[in-house]
Amino acid sequence: MTKFSLKDKVAIVTGGGSGIGKAISLTFAEQCAHVHILDFDIESAQETVSEIELMGHYAKAYLCDVSDQKNVMEVVESIIKNNKIDILVNNAGIAHVGNIESVEEKDLDRLYNVNIKGVYNCIKASLPSLKNGGGVILNLASIASKVGIRDRFAYSVSKGAVLTMTYSVAKDYINHGIRCNCIAPGRVHTPFVDGFIRDNYPGKEKEMFDNLSKTQPIGRMGTTQEIADLVLYLCSDEAGFITGSNFPIDGGFVTLNGN
Ligand code: NAD
């Protein structure tokens, strides 16, 4: 039997229409999982589904705003009706640039609603199925969960909560056969990074891209495939002894900067 196979497993991936979530969805499908993609950008989610279908595998896209509990409950319940969820990847997330003085209340609320409440909503909705026979929850934290990053106040608040939510859920559901972990990527080259450079540093895109690349001691940003491969491992049966853990994947950002 091939290692890291997800044959016969059903996975939910939030934000699977773009960047890291798209790479995770494609990688899971390659390993024969059935992938259910929740995204509020239904066109891009549908594009990921089309790529998976071209590979000869199964996927389905759902229009879903993870910050809206009613919406998440309805969508997840429709999946649970005919499937047992084995894997939930809470990937959907948004960024924000600014320190505490420049962050407006509405910005903090927005980051809270998507990055924190979105994870809470999806776990809460999936638990009845996950508890029925066990499963895996994998959350997207960040280097900002562990160290101070300049001008990322609201984002850091939200990703710190993702880390501690991971520990809390891992503890509460260990006896239900549910493993819960998170990963903490450094900068990964995705539309998310391109978007915030474009919005926050107009006219300085190339300079900012190079600067952000160099902040990883390894000298570059990560690729979405590198992140997806770690997620695949953590969600596979091979990682059966791992729960309540956070995995840095950051080109040395957290431990090697400063010397
Ligand atoms: P991305 O912007 O490329 O993709 C995010 C996806 O999430 C998009 O498809 C978007 O439509 C979807 N999404 C956003 N808000 C949503 C909502 N409310 N409901 C449903 N879907 C929603 O982002 P990415 O770079 O691939 O980042 C994915 C995750 O990885 C995020 O949680 C991010 O914080 C985390 N992360 C990214 C980096 C990085 O450098 N790219 C580093 C560390 C952590």
Side-chain angles (χ1 to χ4, degrees), residues 14-24 37-42 44-45 62-68 71-72 90-95 110 113-115 118-119 139-144 155 158-159 162 183-194 196 216 221-222 224 227 249:
T14 69
S18 171
I20 294 170
K22 179 169 187 174
I24 293 169
I37 299 171
L38 276 50
D39 205 305
F40 70 179
D41 180 348
I42 189 67
S44 57
Y62 303 80
L63 175 62
C64 181
D65 178 349
V66 296
S67 69
D68 177 343
N71 190 189
V72 172
N90 284 304
N91 163 81
I94 52 174
R110 197 165 53 87
N113 281 329
V114 178
N115 293 3
V119 176
N139 299 324
L140 266 288
S142 161
I143 46 174
Y155 186 71
S158 71
K159 290 298 180 179
V162 171
I183 63 167
R187 267 102 192 194
V188 182
H189 189 200
T190 65
F192 176 95
V193 170
D194 292 335
F196 87 67
Q216 275 69 228
M221 295 193 195
T224 56
I227 308 302
I249 173 162

Short mmCIF file of all heavy atoms in Angstrom, two decimals, residues 14-24 37-42 44-45 62-68 71-72 90-95 110 113-115 118-119 139-144 155 158-159 162 183-194 196 216 221-222 224 227 249, ligand 1:
data_model
loop_
_atom_site.label_atom_id
_atom_site.label_comp_id
_atom_site.label_asym_id
_atom_site.label_seq_id
_atom_site.Cartn_x
_atom_site.Cartn_y
_atom_site.Cartn_z
N THR A 14 -11.23 24.34 3.49
CA THR A 14 -11.79 25.68 3.32
C THR A 14 -10.78 26.54 2.55
O THR A 14 -9.57 26.37 2.68
CB THR A 14 -12.13 26.34 4.68
OG1 THR A 14 -10.93 26.63 5.39
CG2 THR A 14 -13.02 25.44 5.53
N GLY A 15 -11.31 27.44 1.74
CA GLY A 15 -10.43 28.29 0.94
C GLY A 15 -9.64 27.52 -0.10
O GLY A 15 -8.52 27.89 -0.45
N GLY A 16 -10.24 26.46 -0.63
CA GLY A 16 -9.54 25.61 -1.59
C GLY A 16 -9.50 26.16 -3.00
O GLY A 16 -9.02 25.50 -3.92
N GLY A 17 -10.00 27.39 -3.18
CA GLY A 17 -10.01 27.97 -4.52
C GLY A 17 -8.70 28.65 -4.89
O GLY A 17 -8.50 29.01 -6.05
N SER A 18 -7.80 28.84 -3.93
CA SER A 18 -6.61 29.65 -4.21
C SER A 18 -5.43 29.20 -3.36
O SER A 18 -5.62 28.54 -2.32
CB SER A 18 -6.94 31.12 -3.88
OG SER A 18 -5.79 31.93 -3.93
N GLY A 19 -4.24 29.53 -3.79
CA GLY A 19 -3.02 29.43 -2.97
C GLY A 19 -2.81 28.08 -2.30
O GLY A 19 -2.86 27.02 -2.93
N ILE A 20 -2.59 28.15 -0.98
CA ILE A 20 -2.26 26.95 -0.19
C ILE A 20 -3.44 25.97 -0.21
O ILE A 20 -3.24 24.76 -0.36
CB ILE A 20 -1.90 27.37 1.26
CG1 ILE A 20 -0.59 28.18 1.27
CG2 ILE A 20 -1.78 26.15 2.16
CD1 ILE A 20 -0.27 28.85 2.60
N GLY A 21 -4.66 26.48 -0.07
CA GLY A 21 -5.83 25.60 -0.03
C GLY A 21 -6.03 24.86 -1.34
O GLY A 21 -6.46 23.70 -1.35
N LYS A 22 -5.70 25.52 -2.43
CA LYS A 22 -5.81 24.85 -3.74
C LYS A 22 -4.78 23.73 -3.83
O LYS A 22 -5.10 22.61 -4.25
CB LYS A 22 -5.59 25.88 -4.86
CG LYS A 22 -5.65 25.28 -6.23
CD LYS A 22 -5.69 26.33 -7.31
CE LYS A 22 -5.91 25.66 -8.65
NZ LYS A 22 -6.11 26.61 -9.73
N ALA A 23 -3.54 24.01 -3.40
CA ALA A 23 -2.49 22.98 -3.45
C ALA A 23 -2.85 21.80 -2.55
O ALA A 23 -2.63 20.64 -2.91
CB ALA A 23 -1.15 23.58 -3.03
N ILE A 24 -3.45 22.10 -1.38
CA ILE A 24 -3.86 21.01 -0.48
C ILE A 24 -4.96 20.18 -1.14
O ILE A 24 -4.91 18.94 -1.14
CB ILE A 24 -4.36 21.59 0.87
CG1 ILE A 24 -3.21 22.25 1.64
CG2 ILE A 24 -5.02 20.49 1.72
CD1 ILE A 24 -3.65 23.06 2.86
N ILE A 37 -14.72 21.39 -1.18
CA ILE A 37 -14.09 22.70 -1.05
C ILE A 37 -15.11 23.76 -0.68
O ILE A 37 -16.09 23.96 -1.39
CB ILE A 37 -13.38 23.09 -2.38
CG1 ILE A 37 -12.29 22.06 -2.70
CG2 ILE A 37 -12.81 24.50 -2.30
CD1 ILE A 37 -11.69 22.24 -4.08
N LEU A 38 -14.87 24.43 0.46
CA LEU A 38 -15.76 25.52 0.90
C LEU A 38 -15.03 26.84 0.65
O LEU A 38 -13.93 27.06 1.17
CB LEU A 38 -16.03 25.41 2.41
CG LEU A 38 -17.16 24.48 2.88
CD1 LEU A 38 -17.06 23.10 2.29
CD2 LEU A 38 -17.18 24.42 4.40
N ASP A 39 -15.64 27.70 -0.17
CA ASP A 39 -14.97 28.98 -0.47
C ASP A 39 -16.03 30.01 -0.80
O ASP A 39 -17.06 29.67 -1.38
CB ASP A 39 -14.01 28.80 -1.66
CG ASP A 39 -12.89 29.83 -1.66
OD1 ASP A 39 -13.19 31.04 -1.63
OD2 ASP A 39 -11.72 29.43 -1.71
N PHE A 40 -15.80 31.26 -0.44
CA PHE A 40 -16.78 32.28 -0.83
C PHE A 40 -16.52 32.81 -2.23
O PHE A 40 -17.31 33.58 -2.76
CB PHE A 40 -17.00 33.36 0.23
CG PHE A 40 -15.88 34.34 0.47
CD1 PHE A 40 -16.06 35.35 1.41
CD2 PHE A 40 -14.69 34.28 -0.20
CE1 PHE A 40 -15.06 36.27 1.66
CE2 PHE A 40 -13.67 35.18 0.04
CZ PHE A 40 -13.85 36.17 0.97
N ASP A 41 -15.41 32.38 -2.82
CA ASP A 41 -15.16 32.65 -4.24
C ASP A 41 -15.45 31.34 -4.99
O ASP A 41 -14.57 30.51 -5.19
CB ASP A 41 -13.71 33.10 -4.44
CG ASP A 41 -13.38 33.39 -5.90
OD1 ASP A 41 -14.20 33.03 -6.78
OD2 ASP A 41 -12.32 33.96 -6.15
N ILE A 42 -16.73 31.17 -5.34
CA ILE A 42 -17.16 29.88 -5.89
C ILE A 42 -16.53 29.59 -7.26
O ILE A 42 -16.25 28.44 -7.58
CB ILE A 42 -18.72 29.78 -5.93
CG1 ILE A 42 -19.19 28.36 -6.30
CG2 ILE A 42 -19.32 30.81 -6.86
CD1 ILE A 42 -18.89 27.31 -5.27
N SER A 44 -13.45 30.31 -8.33
CA SER A 44 -12.11 29.73 -8.20
C SER A 44 -12.17 28.34 -7.57
O SER A 44 -11.41 27.44 -7.92
CB SER A 44 -11.14 30.66 -7.46
OG SER A 44 -11.65 30.98 -6.21
N ALA A 45 -13.12 28.14 -6.63
CA ALA A 45 -13.28 26.80 -6.05
C ALA A 45 -13.67 25.80 -7.15
O ALA A 45 -13.19 24.67 -7.21
CB ALA A 45 -14.33 26.82 -4.96
N TYR A 62 -18.47 24.30 -2.84
CA TYR A 62 -19.64 24.85 -2.15
C TYR A 62 -19.39 26.33 -1.90
O TYR A 62 -18.33 26.71 -1.38
CB TYR A 62 -19.85 24.18 -0.79
CG TYR A 62 -19.99 22.69 -0.86
CD1 TYR A 62 -18.86 21.88 -0.98
CD2 TYR A 62 -21.25 22.09 -0.80
CE1 TYR A 62 -18.98 20.50 -1.05
CE2 TYR A 62 -21.38 20.71 -0.87
CZ TYR A 62 -20.24 19.92 -1.00
OH TYR A 62 -20.36 18.56 -1.07
N LEU A 63 -20.39 27.16 -2.22
CA LEU A 63 -20.31 28.57 -1.89
C LEU A 63 -20.52 28.69 -0.38
O LEU A 63 -21.57 28.32 0.14
CB LEU A 63 -21.41 29.33 -2.63
CG LEU A 63 -21.55 30.81 -2.30
CD1 LEU A 63 -20.28 31.58 -2.67
CD2 LEU A 63 -22.75 31.42 -3.03
N CYS A 64 -19.50 29.17 0.33
CA CYS A 64 -19.61 29.22 1.79
C CYS A 64 -18.71 30.31 2.35
O CYS A 64 -17.52 30.37 2.04
CB CYS A 64 -19.23 27.86 2.38
SG CYS A 64 -19.37 27.79 4.17
N ASP A 65 -19.28 31.15 3.20
CA ASP A 65 -18.49 32.13 3.93
C ASP A 65 -18.25 31.53 5.32
O ASP A 65 -19.18 31.41 6.11
CB ASP A 65 -19.27 33.45 4.03
CG ASP A 65 -18.52 34.51 4.82
OD1 ASP A 65 -17.51 34.17 5.47
OD2 ASP A 65 -18.95 35.68 4.77
N VAL A 66 -17.00 31.19 5.61
CA VAL A 66 -16.72 30.48 6.87
C VAL A 66 -17.05 31.32 8.10
O VAL A 66 -17.21 30.78 9.20
CB VAL A 66 -15.26 29.97 6.96
CG1 VAL A 66 -14.99 28.91 5.90
CG2 VAL A 66 -14.25 31.10 6.91
N SER A 67 -17.15 32.64 7.93
CA SER A 67 -17.45 33.49 9.09
C SER A 67 -18.94 33.49 9.44
O SER A 67 -19.33 34.03 10.48
CB SER A 67 -16.98 34.93 8.82
OG SER A 67 -17.78 35.53 7.82
N ASP A 68 -19.77 32.89 8.59
CA ASP A 68 -21.22 32.90 8.78
C ASP A 68 -21.65 31.51 9.29
O ASP A 68 -21.71 30.54 8.53
CB ASP A 68 -21.87 33.22 7.41
CG ASP A 68 -23.39 33.19 7.46
OD1 ASP A 68 -23.97 32.61 8.42
OD2 ASP A 68 -23.99 33.73 6.52
N ASN A 71 -24.50 29.62 7.47
CA ASN A 71 -24.04 29.17 6.16
C ASN A 71 -23.15 27.91 6.30
O ASN A 71 -23.35 26.90 5.61
CB ASN A 71 -23.27 30.33 5.51
CG ASN A 71 -22.91 30.11 4.05
OD1 ASN A 71 -22.18 30.89 3.49
ND2 ASN A 71 -23.42 29.07 3.43
N VAL A 72 -22.21 27.94 7.24
CA VAL A 72 -21.29 26.81 7.44
C VAL A 72 -22.08 25.58 7.88
O VAL A 72 -21.88 24.48 7.35
CB VAL A 72 -20.20 27.15 8.49
CG1 VAL A 72 -19.38 25.91 8.84
CG2 VAL A 72 -19.29 28.27 7.97
N ASN A 90 -8.75 23.68 8.00
CA ASN A 90 -9.18 25.07 8.14
C ASN A 90 -8.10 25.98 7.57
O ASN A 90 -7.16 26.37 8.28
CB ASN A 90 -9.43 25.39 9.62
CG ASN A 90 -10.72 24.81 10.10
OD1 ASN A 90 -11.78 25.07 9.54
ND2 ASN A 90 -10.65 23.98 11.13
N ASN A 91 -8.25 26.26 6.29
CA ASN A 91 -7.22 27.02 5.58
C ASN A 91 -7.66 28.45 5.25
O ASN A 91 -6.83 29.35 5.20
CB ASN A 91 -6.86 26.26 4.29
CG ASN A 91 -6.13 27.13 3.30
OD1 ASN A 91 -4.94 27.35 3.39
ND2 ASN A 91 -6.86 27.67 2.31
N ALA A 92 -8.96 28.67 5.03
CA ALA A 92 -9.42 30.01 4.61
C ALA A 92 -8.95 31.04 5.62
O ALA A 92 -9.10 30.87 6.83
CB ALA A 92 -10.95 30.03 4.51
N GLY A 93 -8.35 32.10 5.13
CA GLY A 93 -7.87 33.14 6.03
C GLY A 93 -7.59 34.41 5.25
O GLY A 93 -7.42 34.39 4.03
N ILE A 94 -7.58 35.53 5.97
CA ILE A 94 -7.30 36.81 5.34
C ILE A 94 -6.20 37.54 6.11
O ILE A 94 -5.99 37.28 7.30
CB ILE A 94 -8.57 37.70 5.24
CG1 ILE A 94 -9.26 37.85 6.61
CG2 ILE A 94 -9.54 37.14 4.21
CD1 ILE A 94 -10.42 38.83 6.62
N ALA A 95 -5.55 38.47 5.41
CA ALA A 95 -4.43 39.20 6.02
C ALA A 95 -4.82 40.63 6.31
O ALA A 95 -5.83 41.14 5.81
CB ALA A 95 -3.25 39.18 5.06
N ARG A 110 -13.20 41.99 11.33
CA ARG A 110 -13.17 41.20 10.09
C ARG A 110 -12.17 40.04 10.24
O ARG A 110 -12.47 38.90 9.90
CB ARG A 110 -12.74 42.11 8.93
CG ARG A 110 -13.02 41.58 7.55
CD ARG A 110 -12.92 42.69 6.50
NE ARG A 110 -11.65 43.41 6.58
CZ ARG A 110 -10.53 43.05 5.95
NH1 ARG A 110 -10.54 42.00 5.17
NH2 ARG A 110 -9.42 43.75 6.09
N ASN A 113 -13.62 37.52 12.59
CA ASN A 113 -14.73 36.75 12.02
C ASN A 113 -14.26 35.65 11.06
O ASN A 113 -14.79 34.55 11.08
CB ASN A 113 -15.70 37.68 11.28
CG ASN A 113 -16.60 38.39 12.26
OD1 ASN A 113 -16.94 37.86 13.31
ND2 ASN A 113 -16.97 39.63 11.95
N VAL A 114 -13.27 35.96 10.25
CA VAL A 114 -12.81 34.95 9.27
C VAL A 114 -11.78 34.01 9.91
O VAL A 114 -11.94 32.78 9.89
CB VAL A 114 -12.21 35.62 8.01
CG1 VAL A 114 -11.70 34.56 7.03
CG2 VAL A 114 -13.23 36.53 7.34
N ASN A 115 -10.73 34.57 10.48
CA ASN A 115 -9.59 33.74 10.90
C ASN A 115 -9.82 32.98 12.20
O ASN A 115 -9.22 31.92 12.41
CB ASN A 115 -8.33 34.60 11.04
CG ASN A 115 -7.85 35.16 9.70
OD1 ASN A 115 -8.48 34.94 8.67
ND2 ASN A 115 -6.75 35.88 9.71
N GLY A 118 -14.23 31.65 11.87
CA GLY A 118 -14.35 30.73 10.74
C GLY A 118 -13.86 29.34 11.11
O GLY A 118 -14.47 28.32 10.75
N VAL A 119 -12.75 29.28 11.84
CA VAL A 119 -12.19 27.98 12.26
C VAL A 119 -13.14 27.33 13.26
O VAL A 119 -13.46 26.14 13.17
CB VAL A 119 -10.77 28.17 12.86
CG1 VAL A 119 -10.22 26.86 13.39
CG2 VAL A 119 -9.84 28.78 11.81
N ASN A 139 -5.24 22.98 11.19
CA ASN A 139 -5.48 24.42 11.09
C ASN A 139 -4.26 25.14 10.55
O ASN A 139 -3.12 24.77 10.84
CB ASN A 139 -5.81 24.97 12.48
CG ASN A 139 -7.06 24.34 13.07
OD1 ASN A 139 -8.01 24.04 12.35
ND2 ASN A 139 -7.07 24.13 14.38
N LEU A 140 -4.51 26.21 9.79
CA LEU A 140 -3.43 27.05 9.28
C LEU A 140 -3.15 28.17 10.26
O LEU A 140 -3.91 29.14 10.33
CB LEU A 140 -3.81 27.62 7.90
CG LEU A 140 -3.37 26.86 6.66
CD1 LEU A 140 -1.86 26.97 6.41
CD2 LEU A 140 -3.76 25.40 6.69
N ALA A 141 -2.09 28.01 11.05
CA ALA A 141 -1.61 29.09 11.90
C ALA A 141 -0.59 29.88 11.07
O ALA A 141 -0.73 29.98 9.84
CB ALA A 141 -1.03 28.51 13.18
N SER A 142 0.44 30.40 11.71
CA SER A 142 1.40 31.24 10.98
C SER A 142 2.62 31.46 11.88
O SER A 142 2.53 31.28 13.11
CB SER A 142 0.74 32.59 10.66
OG SER A 142 1.71 33.58 10.37
N ILE A 143 3.72 31.92 11.28
CA ILE A 143 4.85 32.36 12.12
C ILE A 143 4.37 33.45 13.09
O ILE A 143 4.90 33.57 14.19
CB ILE A 143 6.03 32.90 11.26
CG1 ILE A 143 5.53 33.87 10.17
CG2 ILE A 143 6.85 31.77 10.68
CD1 ILE A 143 6.63 34.55 9.37
N ALA A 144 3.34 34.21 12.68
CA ALA A 144 2.81 35.29 13.53
C ALA A 144 2.12 34.75 14.78
O ALA A 144 1.80 35.53 15.69
CB ALA A 144 1.84 36.16 12.73
N TYR A 155 -3.70 40.45 12.39
CA TYR A 155 -3.38 39.11 11.87
C TYR A 155 -2.74 38.25 12.97
O TYR A 155 -3.10 37.08 13.14
CB TYR A 155 -2.45 39.26 10.66
CG TYR A 155 -2.16 37.96 9.95
CD1 TYR A 155 -3.14 37.33 9.19
CD2 TYR A 155 -0.90 37.36 10.03
CE1 TYR A 155 -2.88 36.14 8.53
CE2 TYR A 155 -0.63 36.17 9.37
CZ TYR A 155 -1.62 35.57 8.62
OH TYR A 155 -1.36 34.39 7.97
N SER A 158 -5.21 37.06 15.49
CA SER A 158 -6.05 35.97 14.98
C SER A 158 -5.27 34.66 14.89
O SER A 158 -5.80 33.61 15.22
CB SER A 158 -6.66 36.35 13.63
OG SER A 158 -5.69 36.37 12.60
N LYS A 159 -4.03 34.72 14.47
CA LYS A 159 -3.28 33.47 14.29
C LYS A 159 -2.78 32.91 15.62
O LYS A 159 -2.57 31.70 15.76
CB LYS A 159 -2.13 33.68 13.30
CG LYS A 159 -2.60 33.90 11.87
CD LYS A 159 -3.38 32.68 11.32
CE LYS A 159 -3.86 32.87 9.91
NZ LYS A 159 -4.59 31.71 9.38
N VAL A 162 -5.60 30.81 16.63
CA VAL A 162 -5.67 29.53 15.90
C VAL A 162 -4.76 28.49 16.59
O VAL A 162 -5.14 27.33 16.75
CB VAL A 162 -5.26 29.71 14.41
CG1 VAL A 162 -5.12 28.37 13.71
CG2 VAL A 162 -6.29 30.58 13.69
N ILE A 183 -0.19 24.09 11.48
CA ILE A 183 1.13 24.36 10.90
C ILE A 183 1.32 25.88 10.89
O ILE A 183 0.36 26.65 10.86
CB ILE A 183 1.28 23.79 9.47
CG1 ILE A 183 0.29 24.43 8.50
CG2 ILE A 183 1.13 22.28 9.48
CD1 ILE A 183 0.60 24.14 7.03
N ALA A 184 2.59 26.28 10.93
CA ALA A 184 2.91 27.70 11.01
C ALA A 184 3.86 28.07 9.87
O ALA A 184 5.08 28.08 10.03
CB ALA A 184 3.54 28.01 12.36
N PRO A 185 3.28 28.37 8.70
CA PRO A 185 4.14 28.71 7.57
C PRO A 185 4.77 30.10 7.72
O PRO A 185 4.17 31.02 8.29
CB PRO A 185 3.18 28.71 6.37
CG PRO A 185 1.92 28.06 6.82
CD PRO A 185 1.86 28.31 8.30
N GLY A 186 5.98 30.23 7.17
CA GLY A 186 6.54 31.55 6.91
C GLY A 186 5.89 32.05 5.64
O GLY A 186 4.81 31.60 5.26
N ARG A 187 6.56 32.99 4.95
CA ARG A 187 5.93 33.52 3.74
C ARG A 187 5.92 32.47 2.64
O ARG A 187 6.93 31.88 2.31
CB ARG A 187 6.69 34.75 3.24
CG ARG A 187 6.14 36.03 3.76
CD ARG A 187 6.97 36.55 4.87
NE ARG A 187 6.33 37.64 5.59
CZ ARG A 187 7.00 38.42 6.44
NH1 ARG A 187 8.28 38.23 6.64
NH2 ARG A 187 6.37 39.37 7.08
N VAL A 188 4.73 32.32 2.07
CA VAL A 188 4.52 31.37 0.98
C VAL A 188 4.01 32.19 -0.21
O VAL A 188 3.15 33.06 -0.03
CB VAL A 188 3.46 30.31 1.37
CG1 VAL A 188 3.28 29.29 0.26
CG2 VAL A 188 3.85 29.63 2.68
N HIS A 189 4.56 31.93 -1.38
CA HIS A 189 4.16 32.74 -2.53
C HIS A 189 2.78 32.34 -3.04
O HIS A 189 2.63 31.31 -3.70
CB HIS A 189 5.20 32.65 -3.65
CG HIS A 189 4.92 33.65 -4.73
ND1 HIS A 189 5.42 33.54 -6.00
CD2 HIS A 189 4.16 34.77 -4.72
CE1 HIS A 189 4.97 34.56 -6.72
NE2 HIS A 189 4.21 35.32 -5.97
N THR A 190 1.77 33.12 -2.70
CA THR A 190 0.39 32.87 -3.11
C THR A 190 -0.26 34.20 -3.49
O THR A 190 0.30 35.27 -3.20
CB THR A 190 -0.45 32.30 -1.93
OG1 THR A 190 -0.55 33.30 -0.91
CG2 THR A 190 0.15 31.04 -1.36
N PRO A 191 -1.48 34.15 -4.04
CA PRO A 191 -2.21 35.40 -4.32
C PRO A 191 -2.40 36.25 -3.06
O PRO A 191 -2.51 37.47 -3.12
CB PRO A 191 -3.56 34.90 -4.85
CG PRO A 191 -3.26 33.57 -5.43
CD PRO A 191 -2.19 32.97 -4.56
N PHE A 192 -2.44 35.60 -1.88
CA PHE A 192 -2.59 36.28 -0.59
C PHE A 192 -1.40 37.25 -0.39
O PHE A 192 -1.58 38.41 -0.03
CB PHE A 192 -2.59 35.15 0.44
CG PHE A 192 -2.64 35.47 1.90
CD1 PHE A 192 -3.85 35.48 2.57
CD2 PHE A 192 -1.47 35.63 2.64
CE1 PHE A 192 -3.89 35.67 3.94
CE2 PHE A 192 -1.52 35.82 4.00
CZ PHE A 192 -2.73 35.84 4.65
N VAL A 193 -0.19 36.77 -0.66
CA VAL A 193 1.02 37.61 -0.53
C VAL A 193 1.03 38.68 -1.62
O VAL A 193 1.26 39.87 -1.33
CB VAL A 193 2.29 36.72 -0.60
CG1 VAL A 193 3.55 37.58 -0.71
CG2 VAL A 193 2.38 35.82 0.62
N ASP A 194 0.76 38.29 -2.85
CA ASP A 194 0.75 39.27 -3.96
C ASP A 194 -0.29 40.35 -3.68
O ASP A 194 -0.05 41.53 -3.92
CB ASP A 194 0.41 38.58 -5.30
CG ASP A 194 1.52 37.65 -5.75
OD1 ASP A 194 2.67 37.88 -5.34
OD2 ASP A 194 1.23 36.70 -6.50
N PHE A 196 -1.55 41.46 -0.72
CA PHE A 196 -1.25 42.47 0.29
C PHE A 196 -0.07 43.35 -0.09
O PHE A 196 -0.01 44.53 0.29
CB PHE A 196 -1.21 41.91 1.73
CG PHE A 196 0.08 41.35 2.24
CD1 PHE A 196 1.19 42.16 2.44
CD2 PHE A 196 0.16 40.02 2.57
CE1 PHE A 196 2.37 41.63 2.95
CE2 PHE A 196 1.34 39.49 3.08
CZ PHE A 196 2.44 40.29 3.26
N GLN A 216 13.13 35.14 5.14
CA GLN A 216 13.34 33.73 5.47
C GLN A 216 14.85 33.48 5.36
O GLN A 216 15.43 33.69 4.28
CB GLN A 216 12.63 32.80 4.48
CG GLN A 216 11.19 32.52 4.77
CD GLN A 216 10.25 33.69 4.59
OE1 GLN A 216 9.46 33.98 5.44
NE2 GLN A 216 10.37 34.42 3.49
N MET A 221 10.66 32.53 -0.47
CA MET A 221 9.37 32.15 0.11
C MET A 221 9.15 30.65 -0.11
O MET A 221 9.79 30.04 -0.98
CB MET A 221 8.24 32.92 -0.57
CG MET A 221 8.30 34.41 -0.33
SD MET A 221 6.78 35.23 -0.84
CE MET A 221 7.33 36.93 -0.86
N GLY A 222 8.24 30.09 0.65
CA GLY A 222 7.88 28.69 0.44
C GLY A 222 6.97 28.55 -0.78
O GLY A 222 6.42 29.55 -1.28
N THR A 224 3.52 26.59 -2.43
CA THR A 224 2.27 26.01 -1.93
C THR A 224 2.36 24.48 -1.86
O THR A 224 1.79 23.87 -0.97
CB THR A 224 1.07 26.42 -2.82
OG1 THR A 224 1.34 26.03 -4.16
CG2 THR A 224 0.83 27.92 -2.76
N ILE A 227 3.93 23.32 1.37
CA ILE A 227 2.98 23.37 2.49
C ILE A 227 1.99 22.20 2.39
O ILE A 227 1.72 21.51 3.38
CB ILE A 227 2.19 24.71 2.48
CG1 ILE A 227 3.15 25.91 2.42
CG2 ILE A 227 1.27 24.80 3.69
CD1 ILE A 227 4.16 26.02 3.53
N ILE A 249 6.93 25.71 9.31
CA ILE A 249 7.43 25.40 7.96
C ILE A 249 7.75 26.76 7.35
O ILE A 249 6.91 27.39 6.69
CB ILE A 249 6.42 24.53 7.14
CG1 ILE A 249 6.89 24.38 5.69
CG2 ILE A 249 4.99 25.01 7.24
CD1 ILE A 249 6.24 23.23 4.92
P1 NAD B 1 -5.22 33.03 -0.58
O1 NAD B 1 -5.71 34.43 -0.41
O2 NAD B 1 -4.38 32.71 -1.77
O3 NAD B 1 -6.43 32.04 -0.51
C1 NAD B 1 -7.37 32.11 0.53
C2 NAD B 1 -8.65 31.43 0.09
O4 NAD B 1 -9.58 31.53 1.17
C3 NAD B 1 -9.31 32.10 -1.14
O5 NAD B 1 -9.77 31.11 -2.04
C4 NAD B 1 -10.46 32.88 -0.54
O6 NAD B 1 -11.55 33.04 -1.42
C5 NAD B 1 -10.82 32.00 0.66
N1 NAD B 1 -11.51 32.75 1.70
C6 NAD B 1 -11.13 33.92 2.29
N2 NAD B 1 -12.04 34.30 3.18
C7 NAD B 1 -13.03 33.37 3.16
C8 NAD B 1 -14.26 33.21 3.86
N3 NAD B 1 -14.69 34.14 4.74
N4 NAD B 1 -15.00 32.13 3.61
C9 NAD B 1 -14.60 31.20 2.71
N5 NAD B 1 -13.46 31.30 2.01
C10 NAD B 1 -12.69 32.38 2.23
O7 NAD B 1 -4.42 32.70 0.79
P2 NAD B 1 -3.16 31.71 1.11
O8 NAD B 1 -1.90 32.50 1.05
O9 NAD B 1 -3.25 30.46 0.33
O10 NAD B 1 -3.41 31.48 2.66
C11 NAD B 1 -4.15 30.38 3.12
C12 NAD B 1 -4.00 30.29 4.64
O11 NAD B 1 -2.61 30.19 4.98
C13 NAD B 1 -4.52 31.51 5.40
O12 NAD B 1 -5.17 31.09 6.59
C14 NAD B 1 -3.27 32.28 5.74
O13 NAD B 1 -3.40 33.07 6.90
C15 NAD B 1 -2.29 31.14 5.96
N6 NAD B 1 -0.89 31.55 5.79
C16 NAD B 1 -0.47 32.05 4.60
C17 NAD B 1 0.86 32.44 4.47
C18 NAD B 1 1.38 32.98 3.19
O14 NAD B 1 2.51 33.52 3.19
N7 NAD B 1 0.69 32.86 2.08
C19 NAD B 1 1.73 32.32 5.57
C20 NAD B 1 1.24 31.81 6.77
C21 NAD B 1 -0.08 31.41 6.87
#
